[in-house]
Amino acid sequence: EIVLTQSPGTLSLSPGERATLSCRASQSVSSSYLAWYQQKPGQAPRLLIYGASSRATGIPDRFSGSGSGTDFTLTISRLEPEDFAVYYCQQYGSSPRGFTFGPGTKVDIK
Amino acid sequence: EVQLVESGGGLVQPGRSLRLSCAASGFTFDDYAMHWVRQAPGKGLEWVSGISWNSGSIGYADSVKGRFTISRDNAKNSLYLQMNSLRAEDTALYYCAKDKGLRFLEWLLDYWGQGTLVTVSS
């Protein structure tokens, strides 16, 4: 089972700043099957990025994903007020045994 | 517009059972795998179970294996989760989610419902 670690646990930034979130896997993620989700308080998660770098439908281009192997990054180029949320990474497509999420990174207002 | 609406949550005593339902609309339900994901209060996301478009492939998290059963009724555009022998640690908001893969299990969740709360307590 692949274990995902996210850092930092909390990121305190101001609107307009750049956010860089990290997700590290305990073993290589095949074919870059790595996704990112955003969850705002009281809301369901929303798919942001899949395939490590492809934006999901309707996701603004200030969100970008990169990485391969065991190290992945989600970057928010300029934080908007609605971007303050918790972000989870997830590996997928690897086996019929299911999948796990990372523990999450909370981006809050400084 | 894709819509997923969960129901069936509530307060239940330890050891009892509960059945969750998810009504799907806005897409061709029988073309996509579906999943249940839960979130304990103040905690992260935990995948619970997934089922392929034709029910031919099913998976469970180790934490629920042998106690929970996922099923679907494609004629009714509905997904279910039968939860037996419930424990306090099963207390969570349970989300229904659609798999992105067309007629295969991609294990990638592109639409989520708003969740139904299950509380296991005496």
Side-chain angles (χ1 to χ4, degrees), chain B residues 8-61:
Chain B
L11 175 62
V12 60
Q13 293 179 328
R16 304 297 291 265
S17 299
L18 208 57
R19 189 193 195 207
L20 305 184
S21 299
C22 172
S25 61
F27 65 102
T28 305
F29 183 73
D30 54 9
D31 274 346
Y32 293 91
M34 297 293 294
H35 302 267
W36 289 99
V37 176
R38 69 185 181 184
Q39 187 169 36
K43 303 297 184 183
L45 302 171
E46 179 189 17
W47 174 79
V48 172
S49 183
I51 184 168
S52 62
W53 59 277
N54 62 353
S55 303
S57 183
I58 287 175
Y60 298 98

